Amino acid sequence: DVKVTQSSRYLVKRTGEKVFLECVQDMDHENMFWYRQDPGLGLRLIYFSYDVKMKEKGDIPEGYSVSREKKERFSLILESASTNQTSMYLCASSTTTLNTEAFFGQGTRLTVV
Amino acid sequence: AQKVTQAQTEISVVEKEDVTLDCVYETRDTTYYLFWYKQPPSGELVFLIRRNSFDEQNEISGRYSWNFQKSTSSFNFTITASQVVDSAVYFCALRPYGNNRLAFGKGNQVVVIP
């Protein structure tokens, strides 16, 4: 059974903290993605990576950075968390074959207080 | 740039009624791929169906069917004889050829009332 696993289901952090969201996939996929989901706004792409150490900005990269040191792991970093980063964060992975679907993790609901 | 529009935000139906979700997309690419995903209350997006831009044949798979019309840039999805377990948020997504990114619509919240 294919799997994308996010390290936490729920997370509460304080304003100004450095926050790491971790995602691991076991499908040997080249592509990995971080999305943010907010009510009424759907899924918005923050960053994606198409190979180890390679990354590309998505639509809303401000306030975030990413790290991909190993193929199976993709981390999202909030350098200094702010309350407007309270959201649901979804990680996904896919192959480079274009007509294949992406697989998603269960999501991390982050609250910044 | 790609854009996916799902106009209806929340749709409520009584169990056993059919429900159709509209999806309109914009892309300059002539080759692209369209997807529908379901997000149940548990939060994980689950892939449902996929369609390539060069294949306009509409299909039925169990209680799911889809209507792809390239001329109107629409990729509508229908659940026949809805069940309570169909209550979820449904997302339409577009992936252009040569691009790894998936562009999502804002989603449709479907509520099936028993």
Side-chain angles (χ1 to χ4, degrees), chain A residues 1 5-6 15-16 22 44-45 48 54 69-71 79 88 91 94 106:
Chain A
D1 199 17
T5 304
Q6 295 181 229
T15 302
E22 308 285 348
R44 295 180 292 166
L45 181 64
F48 80 97
M54 306 303 287
E69 297 296 318
K70 292 185 178 182
K71 191 175 184 181
E79 295 289 342
M88 168 74 93
C91 175
S94 72
Q106 77 278 27

Side-chain angles (χ1 to χ4, degrees), chain B residues 14-26:
Chain B
V14 176
E15 199 171 19
K16 296 184 183 174
E17 287 183 345
D18 297 349
V19 54
T20 295
L21 308 180
D22 298 329
C23 174
V24 175
Y25 60 91
E26 295 175 29

Side-chain angles (χ1 to χ4, degrees), chain A residues 9 31 33 35 37 40-43 45 48 50 56-59 90 94-95 97-102 104-106, chain B residues 33 35 37 39 41-47 50 52 89 91 95-107:
Chain A
R9 195 71 198 270
N31 300 326
F33 306 84
Y35 288 90
Q37 182 179 8
L41 297 177
L43 273 72
L45 181 64
F48 80 97
Y50 49 91
E56 196 168 308
K57 290 181 181 178
D59 301 317
L90 292 163
S94 72
T95 70
T97 306
L98 289 168
N99 66 345
T100 56
E101 66 272 22
F104 282 80
Q106 77 278 27
Chain B
Y33 306 90
F35 304 84
Y37 284 84
Q39 186 182 38
S42 59
E44 182 176 336
L45 267 77
V46 176
F47 163 74
R50 166 181 56 237
N52 305 326
V89 181
F91 290 97
R95 186 176 182 183
Y97 182 81
N99 190 324
N100 287 311
R101 299 187 183 202
L102 263 179
F104 284 86
K106 293 183 179 180

